[in-house]
Amino acid sequence: MSPQLSQFRRVVLKVGSALLVDRARGRLNHAWLAALAEDIADLHAKGADVLVVSSGAIAMGRTVLGLPSGLLKLEESQAAAAVGQIALARTWSEVLAHHGITAGQILVTLSDTEERRRYLNARATTLKLLDMRAVPVINENDTVATSEIRYGDNDRLAARVATMIGADLLVLFSDIDGLYTAPPASDPNAQHIPVVERITPAIEAMAGGAASELSRGGMRTKIEAGKIATSGGTHMIIADGRAKNPLKRVTEGGRCTWFLTPSNPVTARKTWIAGALEPRGTLVVDEGAALALQGGASLLPVGVRRIEGTFHRGDAVMIRDENRVLGRGLVAYDADEAARIIGRPSREIETILGYVGRTEMVHRDDMALSD
């Protein structure tokens, strides 16, 4: 049995260029976007955190600049993105403001979710916006991304973002209502698959190619996004986004494909920290801090007695007391700065370092304790 949309607390919605932009008329699909904003407002009003990964900057910008159809040179794409991103951000801000919701724009590149220091910054900013009940609108920074470093499509970007912020559901809106046993446009006998328990080679083989000139995606990249999402503890849906109120349609039982994960975002993240990262140093904590950590607290500088090794912000470090290893975590400071603030109250960090740093040496969300 498929899950229900109402049971998820943090939802990422991916909206593609082909849905947002009507290329035939050279403008935004305002009525469709307004209806999606209604869906977002309904979900938001029920207490869920909502984040949008939105394509469309290049598609909007090329229309404004009068660029021809077909493939663009890299610098043309970047120029189109620079123009289109302003219009796209303004539009999202306006349609969400109509429902009393504040939008926040975040532009990311591959390095922002792959390099741990920048990953922590992007994650902290996004989580703070969600904590303040804003709706972050994220897009790849096409104005500076090059073919060597870009994601290549916003399906995978959305999956990376979903796992980064601990979302428990990712919804990919597409021009198709889910995964079929074969591309339905070319195979009339193709059958719809409502639930994918696990992405196997057979499931991957069902994916086709890219769908339109506005999109760099296609079913193949959606399956890749599914692998990223489900391995990070995030369920995923592929749903038809062309109708008005596409999220409401899913809520009411509209046909889609669910990709299920056996894990959850917290467990998957803790597993990643505990086993996939090589520690670069050690934080030795006092008895009080060790007890606080076991009770679910973050590690504050005041509880650290000494540091060992050379590490940088975002690196994995061992956390231990004088007798045993307590766990691992992603440290919020470089080793030289950490050495200056250990044993000191967090309120003194600004005075010591000259800037307002993180209150925690290692936040509890960035920590995996040993059993």
Side-chain angles (χ1 to χ4, degrees), residues 57-58 77-78 81 85 108 139-145 150 216:
I58 293 176
S77 293
Q78 291 172 327
Q85 195 62 55
V108 298
N139 195 0
E140 185 170 9
N141 193 353
D142 290 307
T143 59
V144 298
R150 67 183 311 130
R216 294 190 294 267

Side-chain angles (χ1 to χ4, degrees), residues 190-214:
Q191 296 183 343
H192 181 266
I193 301 174
V195 177
V196 174
E197 299 277 357
R198 187 168 61 91
I199 298 176
T200 63
I203 293 294
E204 294 184 66
M206 296 174 187
S212 74
E213 74 169 40
L214 291 183

Side-chain angles (χ1 to χ4, degrees), residues 227-247:
K227 291 166 65 177
I228 294 168
T230 55
S231 66
T234 302
H235 293 290
M236 190 181 87
I237 296 174
I238 298 176
D240 192 337
R242 292 172 295 182
K244 282 190 177 182
N245 302 102
L247 196 60

Side-chain angles (χ1 to χ4, degrees), residues 10 44 49-51 102-106 119-138 164-166 356-360 363 365:
R10 181 167 292 165
H44 192 264
D49 293 335
V50 185
L51 182 147
T102 300
Q105 178 183 254
I106 302 176
Y119 166 98
L120 288 178
N121 285 333
R123 183 171 184 267
T125 300
T126 307
L127 292 179
K128 178 54 67 174
L129 284 169
L130 293 174
D131 184 56
M132 299 173 76
R133 298 301 289 154
V135 171
V137 179
I138 295 183
M164 180 180 76
I165 65 166
V356 181
R358 308 283 186 205
T359 301
E360 308 86 2
H363 193 278
D365 292 344

Side-chain angles (χ1 to χ4, degrees), residues 9-10 123 162-168 231-234 261 263-274 364-368:
R9 62 175 183 82
R10 181 167 292 165
R123 183 171 184 267
T163 58
M164 180 180 76
I165 65 166
D168 43 13
S231 66
T234 302
T261 175
S263 183
N264 63 66
V266 174
T267 301
R269 180 172 172 77
K270 301 283 188 183
T271 301
W272 172 66
I273 292 172
R364 63 184 181 183
D365 292 344
D366 296 324
M367 189 186 308

Side-chain angles (χ1 to χ4, degrees), residues 76-105:
E76 291 175 331
S77 293
Q78 291 172 327
V83 172
Q85 195 62 55
I86 294 174
L88 188 63
R90 182 180 67 245
T91 300
W92 276 111
S93 179
E94 290 173 351
V95 297
L96 291 173
H98 182 71
H99 299 278
I101 298 173
T102 300
Q105 178 183 254

Side-chain angles (χ1 to χ4, degrees), residues 137-292:
V137 179
I138 295 183
N139 195 0
E140 185 170 9
N141 193 353
D142 290 307
T143 59
V144 298
T146 67
S147 57
E148 289 79 19
I149 66 172
R150 67 183 311 130
Y151 286 94
D153 66 88
N154 275 3
D155 293 328
R156 281 177 287 201
L157 170 61
R160 293 288 188 198
V161 168
T163 58
M164 180 180 76
I165 65 166
D168 43 13
L169 179 64
L170 167 63
V171 181
L172 300 183
F173 286 123
S174 182
D175 57 359
I176 191 169
D177 56 7
L179 178 67
Y180 284 75
T181 53
S186 58
D187 186 347
N189 296 317
Q191 296 183 343
H192 181 266
I193 301 174
V195 177
V196 174
E197 299 277 357
R198 187 168 61 91
I199 298 176
T200 63
I203 293 294
E204 294 184 66
M206 296 174 187
S212 74
E213 74 169 40
L214 291 183
S215 171
R216 294 190 294 267
M219 190 56 66
R220 184 174 63 253
T221 61
K222 289 173 175 56
I223 298 300
E224 289 296 319
K227 291 166 65 177
I228 294 168
T230 55
S231 66
T234 302
H235 293 290
M236 190 181 87
I237 296 174
I238 298 176
D240 192 337
R242 292 172 295 182
K244 282 190 177 182
N245 302 102
L247 196 60
K248 181 180 179 182
R249 180 178 173 275
V250 172
T251 304
E252 294 176 346
R255 190 151 76 167
C256 61
T257 297
W258 285 85
F259 293 78
L260 305 183
T261 175
S263 183
N264 63 66
V266 174
T267 301
R269 180 172 172 77
K270 301 283 188 183
T271 301
W272 172 66
I273 292 172
L277 301 176
E278 180 183 351
R280 300 293 184 181
T282 302
L283 305 179
V284 182
V285 305
D286 61 29
E287 185 177 342
L291 288 172

